[in-house]
Amino acid sequence: MQEGKILHWGISEMPADYLRRAHKVCPVTAVENRYNVINREHEDLIPFLEENHIGWVAHGPMFKGLLSGTFQKGARFARDDWRSSSINDENLDRYGSLLQYLGALGEEKHATAGQLSLAWILHRKPYIVPIPGMRSVQRLEENAKALEITLSPEEMEKIDALLDAAAQN
């Protein structure tokens, strides 16, 4: 940066203490950590990110597809498929109320559960940007429509309450 060869830099999948140490050495521009409606383990970064004007690139915004609303109980994957650790009957039961609410809210807003999952992230903080994985132009277009969805404070609170209830199971 001092030589002008790079303007910005970021780090990925790190805890808050590591971010603080790294930022002291060279100001961080962005972090890339997992973040979605279900997995919020890095929310402790938020105060530091705000204070230091650091962006958050949220990967895994659909919890390996569980939040897409496309999987049902009994879904089976190949033994080495990375989705099997998240998309299973136990998680579908645990987060069933949340998934049902996202489905009902989606009907009301003419949106998919995946779009609502992305919209939830976009409503959290203006500097958090989700990066969903997608394999087709159709999915890209569908995901981009999340930008058009408005979630009320009450809807955000309901999603948070359902998640809190699921976390206690």
Side-chain angles (χ1 to χ4, degrees):
M1 288 177 84
Q2 290 173 342
E3 294 175 15
K5 294 179 181 177
I6 63 168
L7 297 177
H8 309 283
W9 81 288
I11 50 181
S12 180
E13 283 301 315
M14 90 329 290
D17 62 328
Y18 183 89
L19 172 60
R20 285 183 181 87
R21 289 193 324 267
H23 191 69
K24 283 181 183 177
V25 173
C26 183
V28 175
T29 305
V31 299
E32 180 187 14
N33 279 22
R34 184 174 297 109
Y35 189 59
N36 55 58
V37 171
I38 293 172
N39 187 328
R40 302 177 183 189
E41 70 179 287
H42 295 292
E43 281 189 334
D44 62 336
L45 296 175
I46 289 175
F48 188 81
L49 297 177
E50 287 180 350
E51 180 181 321
N52 292 283
H53 308 286
I54 299 170
W56 185 344
V57 180
H59 75 82
M62 291 194 213
F63 200 71
K64 298 183 183 178
L66 182 77
L67 293 167
S68 69
T70 57
F71 297 99
Q72 306 300 318
K73 285 181 78 168
R76 298 288 175 247
F77 300 94
R79 219 169 92 184
D80 60 343
D81 191 319
W82 54 271
R83 295 175 296 178
S84 63
S85 64
S86 297
I87 304 170
N88 53 50
D89 290 353
E90 180 183 340
N91 278 340
L92 287 166
D93 283 340
R94 176 179 295 141
Y95 301 110
S97 295
L98 172 65
L99 296 171
Q100 286 176 345
Y101 178 69
L102 291 176
L105 189 60
E107 285 183 28
E108 181 183 314
K109 294 185 178 285
H110 307 290
T112 66
Q115 289 169 330
L116 291 170
S117 298
L118 295 172
W120 178 87
I121 293 172
L122 292 167
H123 280 74
R124 293 300 281 184
K125 299 288 181 179
Y127 55 83
I128 303 177
V129 180
I131 53 167
M134 53 206 115
R135 296 178 184 216
S136 69
V137 171
Q138 176 187 358
R139 241 356 132 217
L140 172 68
E141 292 168 349
E142 178 183 316
N143 291 340
K145 289 182 181 176
L147 292 165
E148 301 167 10
I149 298 170
T150 300
L151 295 173
S152 70
E154 296 78 21
E155 291 163 339
M156 293 289 289
E157 287 174 19
K158 175 75 172 178
I159 291 169
D160 291 343
L162 289 167
L163 179 65
D164 291 342
Q168 294 179 6
N169 289 338

